[in-house]
Amino acid sequence: MKIAVVGATGLVGTVMLKVLEERNFPLTELIPVASEKSVGKEISFKGKKYAVVNMETAIAMRPDIALFSAGGGTSLTYAPLFAEAGTTVIDNSSAWRMDPSKKLIVPEVNANELSIDDKIIANPNCSTIQMVVALKPLHDKYRIKRVVVSTYQSVTGTGVKAVEQLMNERKGITDGPMAYAYPIDLNVIPQIDVFTDNGYTKEEMKMILETRKIMGDDSIKVTATTVRIPVMGGHSESVNIEFENDFDLADIKDLLTKTEGIIVVDDTANLKYPMPKDAHEKDEVFVGRIRRDESLPNTLNMWIVADNLRKGAATNAVQIAEFLVRKELI
């Protein structure tokens, strides 16, 4: 089992390697892939050293699976070349997500859609992944009509430059590299990605469109406001859900508690609720502040938190790979 990690030296690629090791993924050969400037660098994995190679070398080595986290342009160029060589690509960029010929997969939600013919599989947006893990069991039982989501997203979702900006600002360094148009420390920026013609950002539109595709239901109405905040460790979301059918709060909590990949932390009497620092380096989606919206019938409020580099990116991709192996789809 040969596994390539494309973008192995980047923020998400590094976490992919860590997750593969932690979960003891059954690989026999690791192929770390990065840009030409990183070729020859050594990556440590399970006590062994592996030299970083370029795209062409990796394609010629014909890996069984390639985990991509190297940007949309790179994915559009090279994912088809890997696929032509017989490799199954799991891509973390936005390049293939809304392509109608490609599956957009969150294993707990829709992995059963995958077949042996899927050679390029899209990994969803980080903020979408954690939300749909919690929405799916509720939709199956109560039928969702509308979702209103506001996000509170970690700087790690932007990348190393954003982390450096935040840390520099904490130290009083104001002339360092800027990942954002404004300071992020002691600030909140209500913009993630660029604005589109309808006034929403690309990140907001990703959540709207990807949710419907993953859930397999275009009738679900979704509106989103995505916000960058000065934290590391995970994304948080305030989610308001209107159902077609009424519910009992105890049943909602029981259903979520029994759902694979979810940990319910909802004990307000003892001030217990999910926070990014608690989700940091965890693979689960944490749900709390579960309460009825008293302004509308059949409507629920929830607070959802997950590590955006793990379940929001690397872990979800590795879980897709695990499913492919388990179901003998590669």
Side-chain angles (χ1 to χ4, degrees):
M1 177 72 64
K2 292 185 191 175
I3 303 294
V5 176
V6 179
T9 58
L11 203 54
V12 174
T14 301
V15 179
M16 281 179 172
L17 292 167
K18 186 176 181 182
V19 172
L20 286 167
E21 185 166 343
E22 286 176 1
R23 296 173 74 92
N24 202 27
F25 188 87
L27 61 86
T28 55
E29 185 176 352
L30 176 70
I31 306 170
V33 190
S35 62
E36 291 293 341
K37 67 180 181 182
S38 296
V39 169
K41 287 183 180 178
E42 287 193 329
I43 294 288
S44 180
F45 182 81
K46 286 192 172 182
K48 290 177 66 177
K49 299 287 187 183
Y50 295 85
V52 172
V53 301
N54 64 17
M55 289 289 195
E56 289 73 21
T57 301
I59 293 166
M61 293 174 76
R62 295 180 177 272
D64 297 285
I65 297 173
L67 303 175
F68 263 66
S69 188
T74 299
S75 294
L76 287 171
T77 301
Y78 287 101
L81 299 180
F82 274 90
E84 285 169 16
T87 300
T88 299
V89 173
I90 302 169
D91 180 50
N92 193 54
S93 79
S94 61
W96 305 100
R97 290 175 187 160
M98 297 313 299
D99 184 325
S101 68
K102 304 295 184 289
K103 307 283 176 60
L104 184 62
I105 300 296
V106 177
E108 299 92 335
V109 177
N110 64 340
N112 287 330
E113 294 179 8
L114 291 171
S115 75
I116 201 165
D117 298 322
D118 292 309
K119 302 311 287 184
I120 299 177
I121 301 164
N123 206 37
N125 185 46
C126 48
S127 48
T128 307
I129 290 173
Q130 66 187 70
M131 184 171 74
V132 297
V133 168
L135 292 185
K136 181 61 165 64
L138 302 180
H139 183 56
D140 288 347
K141 184 164 185 179
Y142 302 107
R143 308 306 299 174
I144 294 172
K145 290 173 64 177
R146 183 171 186 255
V147 178
V148 181
V149 55
S150 298
T151 72
Y152 307 73
Q153 294 182 223
S154 162
V155 294
T156 56
T158 307
V160 173
K161 190 176 179 181
V163 174
E164 290 175 350
Q165 179 183 333
L166 175 59
M167 291 297 98
N168 281 339
E169 289 170 2
R170 291 265 160 107
K171 297 171 186 172
I173 300 170
T174 57
D175 58 352
M178 294 282 287
Y180 305 116
Y182 300 98
I184 185 63
D185 191 30
L186 299 177
N187 195 25
V188 166
I189 302 174
Q191 175 194 352
I192 298 179
D193 213 323
V194 298
F195 285 100
T196 62
D197 291 342
N198 64 1
Y200 286 76
T201 66
K202 277 191 176 180
E203 181 84 357
E204 290 158 354
M205 292 310 300
K206 286 175 191 175
M207 293 196 74
I208 292 165
L209 299 172
E210 290 179 23
T211 297
R212 293 174 184 155
K213 182 172 180 178
I214 297 163
M215 301 280 282
D217 191 340
D218 286 338
S219 73
I220 299 173
K221 295 180 172 65
V222 184
T223 189
T225 303
T226 57
V227 181
R228 191 72 68 190
I229 64 171
V231 302
M232 292 191 287
H235 292 347
S236 305
E237 299 171 346
S238 172
V239 185
N240 179 271
I241 313 153
E242 182 183 358
F243 298 104
E244 289 181 10
N245 304 302
D246 201 6
F247 56 84
D248 180 85
L249 269 182
D251 291 342
I252 293 270
K253 292 179 183 180
D254 184 60
L255 182 58
L256 291 171
T257 299
K258 291 175 178 175
T259 299
E260 177 192 358
I262 290 178
I263 294 177
V264 173
V265 183
D266 192 59
D267 180 9
T268 54
N270 291 297
L271 308 185
K272 300 292 185 183
Y273 32 71
M275 293 180 287
K277 71 179 188 67
D278 302 319
H280 185 49
E281 297 193 342
K282 304 279 189 8
D283 289 331
E284 296 82 9
V285 173
F286 295 80
V287 183
R289 297 298 319 278
I290 302 166
R291 63 206 189 277
R292 191 178 285 275
D293 179 348
E294 297 182 347
S295 71
L296 280 174
N298 306 346
T299 304
L300 183 76
N301 284 308
M302 295 194 306
W303 178 252
I304 303 172
V305 179
D307 186 318
N308 55 292
L309 295 182
R310 291 185 67 105
K311 183 53 184 171
T315 300
N316 198 76
V318 172
Q319 286 173 322
I320 294 171
E322 289 171 341
F323 182 88
L324 295 174
V325 172
R326 191 164 62 248
K327 297 295 183 179
E328 298 181 349
L329 297 177
I330 53 167

